[in-house]
Amino acid sequence: MPRDQNRDFGSLVEPDRVHKACYADENVFEQELKSIFYKSWIYIGHESQVPNAGDYWTTWIGKERMIICRAEDGQVHVLYNRCPHRGTLICNNLHGNSGNKKSFRCSYHAWQFAMDGSLRNIPMKEGYEGIIDLKDPQLQMKRAERQGSYRGFVFASLSQEGPDLETWLGGGKVAFDDICNRAPEGEAQIVANCFRIVQHSNWKIFLENQLDALHPSLTHHSTGDAAAAMQKVYKEKTGEEPPMGYQFLADFTLPLEKWNSLSTIGHPYGHTVLAGYMGLRPRDPVTVAHEESLTAVHGEERMNEILSTNVHHVLVYPCLSVQPPLQQLRAVRPLAANKTLTEIWHFKLKGAPEGIYDRSLAYYYHVNSPSTMVNADDLNNFRACQDGLSLKGGGDWVSLHRNAGQDPVENGVTTSVTGMSEQPMRNMFAAWKEYMTAENQGGE
Amino acid sequence: MPKDNALNSSADTQRAVEQFLYNQADILDERRWEDWLGLFTEDGKYWMPADPEQETGERLPNIFYEDLYLMEMRIRRVEHPYAHSQLAGHRTSHVVSNVVIQSEDQATGDVICTSRFHMVEYRLEAQRYFGGKYTHTLKKTEDGYRIQLQRVGIANVEGPFDHVMEVWL
């Protein structure tokens, strides 16, 4: 462990390489929770995930277990999933509804709480008379230190201090703007299904892979070939164009030069964007109907502006990978240095024709479901990375040299010179270093 | 008293359906992909819903929802020399049991049957374990039964999943 060798966390990150301890060392991981996951804003869920009073979903901020729920007055709350009495987990299911009384009820001693965490009732409460006021905050379910929402996407921070949500999101806001703007009603509606897949690798390996433009045609060669072959078979046998999902996979046969022609944009706080038009505007009836529905609201000029937004993929560091043009969202929940839970969601666009949802659903199936042929090979690489990085010997550093020092920076925003520049990794590690070396980083 | 479904069919039907299901499990475990595709009708589908209560695979999230084209795509992928997650070896073993004929159409011989399966999968020096319920809609043809729909309800449908499922269960 480098820290034991009198090296601080900042020394693990150099401009063009990082130490393997960033990925494989449990002490580094514990510090990441304190300095990053318990300091920054973390995505909790979407407001439409809890449409009715009493609805709740559970999730994680680092090792903290959290609840997002809706109260009778319509307010959405983010609470720690813990009974203030004896510490029992209150919600043991992934999601549900708290019932007719809209109260959380602890399974152990039946303490009851309103959906904002305030105490409603305790059995035999005379035992507390003259000892403690039942309105005392220490007898309430604790709320997240801060909570915020941007266009229906709810975040929480376990730190009282730090930038407000919108300031922090900065260049990452485009993830949610692009999703919502594509909806004629300006809002996204979550589909109430969460695919959860455990990766046997560090959380950063996943985020780095998301904007790694060199890997798709190499890692996913087999899937690209299989899909391209079946496009031909489908056409021959049916005389019809294959469903769009085939093309999502056949894209993995694109030549490396094509991927290299994209560009990535690094924003403050580690948020990073892959610019690349996804070619989702053929002249098919679904696209035309979508264009018409947006034109009816905004006029043609604004419709064109919305649908030609040049964003393929957005990382909101450290917690999200979002693909706005296809309304996909993957939340990153680090469980250990070598174990990461991903929570995978997709959205409908309010007011858009149903056929637009079919594209989102097809992508959700082919790329993000537990039967995905795409991530099968990603997960295999992630695991192999983690296992290699955990070796004691064989070298200490990870190379991030591709186009290092060549990407122009303007007003704190970096634009990569090539699609394959390792700018996204360097940008995220620059933020990592800032978080990990900030004053009072321990928060203990 | 619940209805005794076992009385819905003859011993011959019961035996033929059981043999069909056991054969399907063998084909999958032995990765005989041409035979696998041959088990389905031309419009046949393999379906693993994402929600235990789900009644259709159309326009809803699914874990698997594949016609013959998508199944052939999956086969081409796992057999591709660069499908590196398959290179470490991938072996499975199924047991199918509790076969109940839910209905048999006396005119056509078509059958709806349910069964339970347990499956172990070995890959990368680790073993995973799956269990669940099959519901087969079988069409009777001159060459025996063919699957029009196979619904696979897995016990751990909510996950979280360790790795993904690269082939059908």
Side-chain angles (χ1 to χ4, degrees):
Chain A
M1 164 63 196
R3 200 167 169 78
D4 294 338
Q5 298 154 22
N6 298 319
R7 300 171 58 185
D8 63 24
F9 293 110
S11 71
L12 299 174
V13 175
E14 296 182 3
D16 50 16
R17 63 175 195 170
V18 298
H19 196 276
K20 65 184 177 187
C22 294
Y23 302 91
D25 187 305
E26 281 295 339
N27 294 312
V28 172
F29 176 76
E30 290 298 326
Q31 192 61 43
E32 284 178 332
L33 295 184
K34 290 176 192 162
S35 299
I36 304 175
F37 285 88
Y38 302 154
K39 293 284 182 197
S40 71
W41 289 94
I42 300 295
Y43 177 72
I44 298 294
H46 192 264
E47 287 171 5
S48 63
Q49 217 172 305
V50 284
N52 304 309
D55 286 350
Y56 69 86
W57 277 80
T58 61
T59 187
W60 303 80
I61 297 182
K63 289 182 178 174
E64 298 299 327
R65 299 177 73 151
M66 310 302 291
I67 299 168
I68 178 174
C69 60
R70 190 178 292 272
E72 279 165 295
D73 64 358
Q75 291 295 307
V76 172
H77 298 285
V78 180
L79 308 171
Y80 286 83
N81 191 358
R82 178 187 188 278
C83 181
H85 177 213
R86 300 287 281 276
T88 318
L89 209 60
I90 293 279
C91 296
N92 291 272
N93 291 339
L94 179 61
H95 63 102
N97 185 283
S98 62
N100 290 340
K101 291 179 180 166
K102 314 299 177 210
S103 291
F104 289 125
R105 182 178 184 275
C106 180
S107 58
Y108 195 179
H109 301 102
W111 284 37
Q112 286 172 50
F113 305 91
M115 305 304 283
D116 63 357
S118 58
L119 184 63
R120 268 197 176 155
N121 210 356
I122 300 178
M124 308 294 286
K125 55 178 166 256
E126 51 273 26
Y128 293 91
E129 271 169 29
I131 298 168
I132 187 167
D133 184 346
L134 295 183
K135 290 196 168 66
D136 192 298
Q138 62 178 304
L139 299 186
Q140 300 185 0
M141 285 174 73
K142 196 179 168 194
R143 303 164 60 102
E145 276 70 5
R146 289 186 297 161
Q147 180 185 329
S149 178
Y150 183 73
R151 301 198 73 167
F153 295 81
V154 179
F155 290 74
S157 171
L158 303 188
S159 169
Q160 297 282 7
E161 283 143 32
D164 64 76
L165 176 61
E166 278 205 44
T167 304
W168 176 82
L169 277 174
K173 281 196 286 194
V174 67
F176 315 107
D177 288 335
D178 191 24
I179 291 178
C180 296
N181 291 346
R182 287 168 188 270
E185 294 176 24
E187 286 181 9
Q189 167 75 44
I190 204 162
V191 179
N193 179 79
C194 182
F195 285 141
R196 296 183 301 158
I197 296 176
V198 173
Q199 307 180 344
H200 291 272
S201 48
N202 188 269
W203 60 277
K204 297 188 290 299
I205 292 177
F206 169 69
L207 289 180
E208 289 163 13
N209 170 265
Q210 297 299 288
L211 299 199
D212 181 327
L214 178 55
H215 95 282
S217 289
L218 303 173
T219 294
H220 306 301
H221 189 139
S222 58
T223 300
D225 277 0
M230 288 313 295
Q231 282 182 314
K232 288 200 191 104
V233 172
Y234 191 99
K235 273 185 210 169
E236 281 165 17
K237 285 200 184 166
T238 66
E240 292 172 23
E241 285 297 312
M244 201 175 223
Y246 286 47
Q247 188 57 44
F248 296 147
L249 302 178
D251 277 345
F252 294 120
T253 58
L254 286 174
L256 295 179
E257 291 73 20
K258 178 81 179 165
W259 294 104
N260 208 30
S261 70
L262 305 176
S263 71
T264 60
I265 300 137
H267 292 277
Y269 298 109
H271 310 319
T272 314
V273 175
L274 173 63
Y277 180 59
M278 288 190 78
L280 295 171
R281 289 182 76 185
R283 304 311 303 156
D284 65 292
V286 171
T287 307
V288 171
H290 188 206
E291 289 175 359
E292 283 168 358
S293 66
L294 282 168
T295 302
V297 179
H298 299 295
E300 196 175 342
E301 194 183 341
R302 177 69 181 140
M303 176 278 289
N304 273 316
E305 198 177 278
I306 289 169
L307 290 184
S308 55
T309 301
N310 190 23
V311 167
H312 181 292
H313 211 132
V314 183
L315 299 181
V316 179
Y317 190 80
C319 58
L320 282 181
S321 158
V322 186
Q323 284 170 285
L326 289 159
Q327 299 91 50
Q328 312 282 312
L329 178 149
R330 288 185 270 193
V332 179
R333 312 299 185 197
L335 302 178
N338 62 356
K339 194 172 176 187
T340 305
L341 173 69
T342 51
E343 298 173 344
I344 310 170
W345 297 88
H346 72 309
F347 297 83
K348 291 187 179 183
L349 301 175
K350 282 192 181 175
E354 188 69 13
I356 287 294
Y357 172 62
D358 292 342
R359 295 178 187 180
S360 175
L361 181 62
Y363 202 85
Y364 194 59
Y365 180 76
H366 288 294
V367 178
N368 280 324
S369 79
S371 72
T372 169
M373 302 193 296
V374 179
N375 287 326
D377 286 320
D378 282 326
L379 294 173
N380 192 55
N381 281 340
F382 300 171
R383 188 265 320 153
C385 274
Q386 190 68 32
D387 287 359
L389 289 165
S390 304
L391 299 175
K392 193 166 164 56
D396 289 333
W397 293 90
V398 172
S399 161
L400 301 177
H401 290 90
R402 187 181 284 269
N403 297 112
Q406 296 176 355
D407 305 308
V409 186
E410 202 173 328
N411 299 323
V413 176
T414 312
T415 305
S416 70
V417 282
T418 67
M420 291 179 190
S421 167
E422 282 162 340
Q423 184 278 132
M425 299 75 173
R426 293 190 290 267
N427 188 55
M428 286 190 278
F429 266 111
W432 188 92
K433 190 168 179 171
E434 273 191 45
Y435 277 117
M436 293 290 276
T437 58
E439 293 285 311
N440 303 319
Q441 60 177 330
E444 287 159 302
Chain B
M1 274 284 284
K3 196 165 76 110
D4 186 350
N5 289 314
L7 300 179
N8 283 341
S9 65
S10 67
D12 283 350
T13 301
Q14 178 74 25
R15 183 167 181 276
V17 166
E18 285 177 0
Q19 290 301 310
F20 180 85
L21 298 179
Y22 301 159
N23 187 42
Q24 183 187 20
D26 271 347
I27 287 171
L28 196 48
D29 289 335
E30 291 163 13
R31 295 168 75 103
R32 285 154 40 204
W33 302 130
E34 283 304 310
D35 291 346
W36 171 264
L37 295 175
L39 292 172
F40 291 81
T41 61
E42 261 187 49
D43 61 348
K45 283 203 164 130
Y46 179 95
W47 174 38
M48 185 186 290
D51 183 315
E53 308 299 322
Q54 210 171 313
E55 287 173 1
T56 173
E58 292 295 322
R59 285 199 153 151
L60 288 170
N62 297 295
I63 297 176
F64 279 97
Y65 194 51
E66 304 200 335
D67 60 11
L68 282 176
Y69 295 103
L70 288 179
M71 286 194 256
E72 189 179 336
M73 191 191 292
R74 189 172 290 280
I75 291 167
R76 284 173 184 258
R77 189 241 150 206
V78 295
E79 290 301 320
H80 195 287
Y82 293 158
H84 54 88
S85 61
Q86 287 279 308
L87 296 182
H90 179 265
R91 288 190 290 279
T92 62
S93 178
H94 284 76
V95 172
V96 181
S97 186
N98 306 14
V99 180
V100 178
I101 311 291
Q102 300 293 348
S103 68
E104 181 178 12
D105 187 315
Q106 295 305 325
T108 62
D110 297 348
V111 159
I112 295 174
C113 65
T114 56
S115 56
R116 295 281 168 172
F117 69 94
H118 281 191
M119 184 268 245
V120 291
E121 176 205 65
Y122 179 78
R123 192 182 147 267
L124 283 169
E125 300 183 17
Q127 198 151 286
R128 285 198 296 178
Y129 193 51
F130 292 95
K133 179 180 181 178
Y134 290 144
T135 305
H136 282 81
T137 303
L138 300 175
K139 303 299 275 185
K140 192 160 191 184
T141 74
E142 287 176 6
D143 304 319
Y145 290 117
R146 292 291 179 271
I147 302 166
Q148 192 169 46
L149 181 66
Q150 179 174 1
R151 185 189 196 276
V152 183
I154 51 167
N156 59 328
V157 61
E158 295 95 350
F161 294 96
D162 229 25
H163 194 60
V164 292
M165 288 167 265
E166 298 194 35
V167 290
W168 311 281
L169 259 55

